[in-house]
Amino acid sequence: MRPILHPSLVNGRSGDPALYIETLFERRAILFDLGDVTALSPRKIQRLEHVFVSHAHMDHFIGFDRLLRLLVGREKKINLYGPGGFIDHVHHKLLAYHWNLVDRYVCDLIFVVTEIESSLATRTVRFRLKSAFAEEVINSGRIVDGVVHSEPTFRVSAAILEHRTPCLGFAMEEAAHVNIWKNRLAQMGLPVGPWLRELKRAVTENMPDHYPIRISARPMTSDMGEVQLGALRAVLTVTPGQKIAYVTDAADTPANRKAIIALIQDADLLFIEAAFAEADAAIAAERAHLTTAAAGRIAREASVRRVEPFHFSPRYTGEDERMLNEVMAAFAGRSSEGAGL
Ligand SMILES: [Zn+2]
Ligand SMILES: [Zn+2]
């Protein structure tokens, strides 16, 4: 099965955090964190629809200006998500510029910003170019099971972590793939048609076996009656979707470990900060960041399939291999004692 989500660290393991995830559906893209994004082409930035920001420390949010610069003048809506206080951070960025000429723009640029408070309460506002980015309140609510965005093809969950300020960790889960075997359809004497879309939806939404599926070769015509979902399972196979998790800027505390592991459990791919080497655990604790060893152990405990460490501190420039080895040793359950010597 061809994976549908294609993630890449915009600035490698040492630059500003930004994880660009290209999707194969409708050429849309998602971004986790908005550090410096000059390495992203304008076309890639224009594909963004959802941008999830862990917290508004400069290295995670300075890329907002480039986003704004490239999108003004285009008809575009971007959904932004961040921790408590994030709406104000976005608004202040927008207010840094003078918008007296906005009535001359034909296209509107809309930011829909949702902030997630520590109690999982959410607040959503809108900023529109055509109203000079004045704040318009949309709604407030509460997130359920940590899910901050959900649509038929994927969903994104968040966990609130402690970094001496609330910081969000994210997990993106793709819906299961449903493959229909046309030869098996033919064997059962069933036609190909738009009803297969309804069949796929019923499967991904875990409908029970007695759920009725109406069969028709074409919309509105040649109705061939109903068949129960259970009887159709033989014509399809279900492959679970990919899970990609993103965790950065978290203190190594028992509460954070618990929240991170619950969020990233069984992820196919985990991007996790490993800001400091194991030998510098005291500095990591001081700055509320994870070490290489902590990142590797957390990934191991959560039974993650592959780990990609990033956000290496500049003090380790030229030592990527050492940092990577420390993470991988902990991930493999080996003692990395002396690895840095
Ligand atoms: Zn930070
Ligand atoms: Zn950071």
Side-chain angles (χ1 to χ4, degrees):
M1 170 58 59
R2 188 161 68 136
I4 282 180
L5 306 176
H6 294 262
S8 66
L9 285 166
V10 175
N11 303 302
R13 298 192 199 276
S14 303
D16 275 9
L19 180 70
Y20 187 86
I21 304 183
E22 206 146 3
T23 69
L24 290 188
F25 37 88
E26 302 152 29
R27 300 214 146 273
R28 299 157 62 196
I30 281 136
L31 193 63
F32 286 135
D33 266 342
L34 196 42
D36 181 1
V37 285
T38 36
L40 280 180
S41 68
R43 199 194 311 169
K44 282 194 161 183
I45 286 181
Q46 283 149 13
R47 274 184 203 158
L48 286 171
E49 271 187 10
H50 299 274
V51 178
F52 300 86
V53 177
S54 62
H55 63 310
H57 278 163
M58 196 182 221
D59 50 333
H60 298 255
F61 193 45
I62 199 163
F64 182 82
D65 279 23
R66 177 161 165 83
L67 195 82
L68 180 62
R69 183 74 183 88
L70 289 169
L71 298 180
V72 162
R74 289 175 174 269
E75 193 71 37
K76 181 80 186 164
K77 184 174 100 173
I78 295 255
N79 298 287
L80 290 159
Y81 307 80
F86 186 61
I87 288 172
D88 279 349
H89 287 297
V90 173
H91 203 188
H92 289 144
K93 279 262 188 202
L94 294 167
L95 292 182
Y97 303 102
H98 194 41
W99 302 105
N100 62 313
L101 302 174
V102 290
D103 53 334
R104 299 191 195 172
Y105 283 101
V106 179
C107 300
D108 207 359
L109 169 63
I110 301 169
F111 293 103
V112 176
V113 189
T114 299
E115 63 178 31
I116 298 140
E117 307 278 353
S118 50
S119 58
L120 297 184
T122 63
R123 204 159 68 84
T124 302
V125 306
R126 178 170 52 203
F127 300 107
R128 294 171 52 222
L129 172 73
K130 286 193 174 181
S131 29
F133 296 119
E135 183 174 318
E136 301 163 41
V137 174
I138 298 186
N139 62 35
S140 51
R142 182 167 294 274
I143 60 173
V144 181
D145 297 333
V147 177
V148 289
H149 174 73
S150 179
E151 58 180 88
T153 36
F154 73 92
R155 65 177 191 178
V156 175
S157 314
I160 300 168
L161 307 173
E162 171 52 32
H163 173 51
R164 250 177 256 128
T165 179
C167 180
L168 301 178
F170 301 105
M172 178 176 190
E173 287 168 87
E174 188 196 346
H177 301 275
V178 180
N179 276 334
I180 310 271
W181 298 90
K182 297 220 171 100
N183 56 337
R184 294 189 203 163
L185 273 181
Q187 281 162 17
M188 288 178 75
L190 295 170
V192 174
W195 70 280
L196 293 172
R197 219 172 311 147
E198 168 62 11
L199 172 61
K200 284 187 178 183
R201 191 194 58 77
V203 172
T204 49
E205 290 178 7
N206 285 319
M207 292 307 185
D209 276 352
H210 61 77
Y211 185 81
I213 303 285
R214 183 157 287 279
I215 296 172
S216 64
R218 280 186 299 279
M220 315 302 185
T221 59
S222 41
D223 194 330
M224 300 171 69
E226 280 178 3
V227 177
Q228 292 195 339
L229 176 57
L232 295 168
R233 296 215 190 261
V235 305
L236 51 87
T237 45
V238 181
T239 329
Q242 243 188 315
K243 176 172 178 179
I244 298 174
Y246 176 90
V247 172
T248 191
D249 293 48
D252 189 2
T253 63
N256 268 355
R257 283 203 180 210
K258 195 169 162 231
I260 295 171
I261 289 168
L263 176 75
I264 68 173
Q265 189 68 49
D266 299 321
D268 297 286
L269 184 53
L270 168 67
F271 291 85
I272 186 165
E273 76 149 341
F276 294 94
E278 188 173 15
D280 295 325
I283 308 170
E286 227 279 301
R287 313 240 170 116
H289 277 283
L290 296 176
T291 62
T292 49
R297 266 182 235 128
I298 289 169
R300 179 181 175 77
E301 251 184 84
S303 308
V304 159
R305 281 177 56 199
R306 202 175 108 204
V307 59
E308 290 290 349
F310 72 103
H311 211 0
F312 295 163
S313 156
R315 69 171 60 213
Y316 308 107
T317 302
E319 291 185 273
D320 276 22
E321 208 180 317
R322 166 198 175 191
M323 299 295 277
L324 206 52
N325 286 342
E326 289 190 12
V327 175
M328 293 312 163
F331 183 49
R334 294 195 304 272
S335 160
S336 56
E337 209 105 88
L341 298 178

